[in-house]
């Protein structure tokens, strides 16, 4: 799925392993794709892949590259069943920033759900997790104290947070300022 697509009406490039289909949807969504928040669809498909792998060949490694659409424009408010932005972020006065905060919260919950799928499948113990982004925030994001945003070459556009979980290799709670 390309960025900048509506989170609810999934048209265009929403592929699942197909180099030719431009409107092929993941099998987990069935016929009821309309009005399903894309973050939820990504979780469902990732969980399905993990479960299928665990059932068929748990002894073999599984590589999963999961690039969520969140948080990217258009800024579509998550459904209240995921996060009620008004109840969760009442102190955020500007409604667009409240939507953005809700989208970040929905992403956080989605990552937790995918990690839970790996744990349920018994694959979490030796799983390497890398969580990062491709650029700094833009519009309703906040890169402070860094200067710039997504479209700039200043630190706010190119320096991004990342998390690596690698049992036996990366010590829990460690930090690094290195770029390698």
């Amino acid at each position: 799925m390309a960025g900048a697509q509506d989170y609810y009406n999934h048209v265009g490039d929403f592929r699942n392993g197909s180099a030719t289909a431009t409107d092929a949807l993941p099998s987990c969504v069935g016929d009821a794709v309309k009005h399903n928040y894309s973050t939820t669809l990504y979780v469902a498909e990732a969980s399905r892949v993990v479960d299928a792998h665990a059932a068929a060949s748990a002894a073999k490694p599984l590589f999963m590259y999961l690039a969520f659409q969140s948080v990217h424009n258009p800024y579509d408010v998550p459904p209240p069943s995921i996060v009620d932005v008004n109840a969760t972020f009442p102190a955020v006065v500007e409604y667009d920033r409240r939507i953005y905060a809700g989208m970040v919260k929905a992403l956080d919950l989605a990552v937790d759900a995918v990690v839970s799928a790996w744990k349920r499948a018994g694959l979490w113990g030796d799983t390497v997790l890398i969580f990062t982004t491709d650029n700094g925030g833009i519009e309703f994001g906040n890169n402070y104290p860094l200067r710039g945003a997504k479209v700039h070459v200043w630190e706010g556009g190119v320096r991004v947070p990342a998390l690596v979980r690698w049992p036996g290799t990366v010590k829990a709670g460690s930090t690094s300022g290195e770029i390698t």
Side-chain angles (χ1 to χ4, degrees):
M1 176 181 215
Q5 291 192 2
D6 187 278
Y7 283 71
Y8 290 97
N9 298 309
H10 319 289
V11 295
D13 194 0
F14 198 92
R15 296 178 239 202
N16 185 25
S18 170
T20 57
T22 56
D23 289 316
L25 295 168
S27 58
C28 65
V29 302
D31 295 327
V33 67
K34 292 278 187 191
H35 308 295
N36 282 308
Y37 199 64
S38 65
T39 305
T40 306
L41 300 178
Y42 282 96
V43 169
E45 181 66 359
S47 298
R48 186 198 64 76
V49 168
V50 168
D51 291 342
H53 178 79
S57 55
K60 292 183 179 178
L62 170 63
F63 175 81
M64 178 181 289
Y65 175 79
L66 177 58
F68 281 98
Q69 179 185 9
S70 299
V71 172
H72 197 284
N73 68 336
Y75 301 108
D76 288 334
V77 63
S81 60
I82 297 176
V83 58
D84 183 336
V85 296
N86 294 319
T88 306
F89 303 104
V92 180
V93 177
E94 186 183 343
Y95 189 63
D96 289 334
R97 284 196 48 86
R98 194 178 306 162
I99 290 172
Y100 190 87
M103 292 173 74
V104 172
K105 179 68 175 177
L107 174 62
D108 183 52
L109 294 170
V111 170
D112 180 61
V114 172
V115 167
S116 293
W118 285 79
K119 289 178 179 178
R120 276 192 316 275
L123 302 173
W124 186 242
D126 62 352
T127 294
V128 177
L129 171 71
I130 301 171
F131 181 86
T132 190
T133 183
D134 58 350
N135 50 251
I138 195 166
E139 289 186 74
F140 307 113
N142 185 340
N143 298 322
Y144 181 81
L146 305 177
R147 178 182 179 196
K150 177 179 178 176
V151 297
H152 301 122
V153 294
W154 294 305
E155 281 192 314
V158 297
R159 188 172 173 192
V160 299
L163 174 143
V164 176
R165 178 214 176 256
W166 190 352
T169 302
V170 176
K171 183 181 173 188
S174 62
T175 60
S176 173
E178 298 295 317
I179 298 176
T180 57

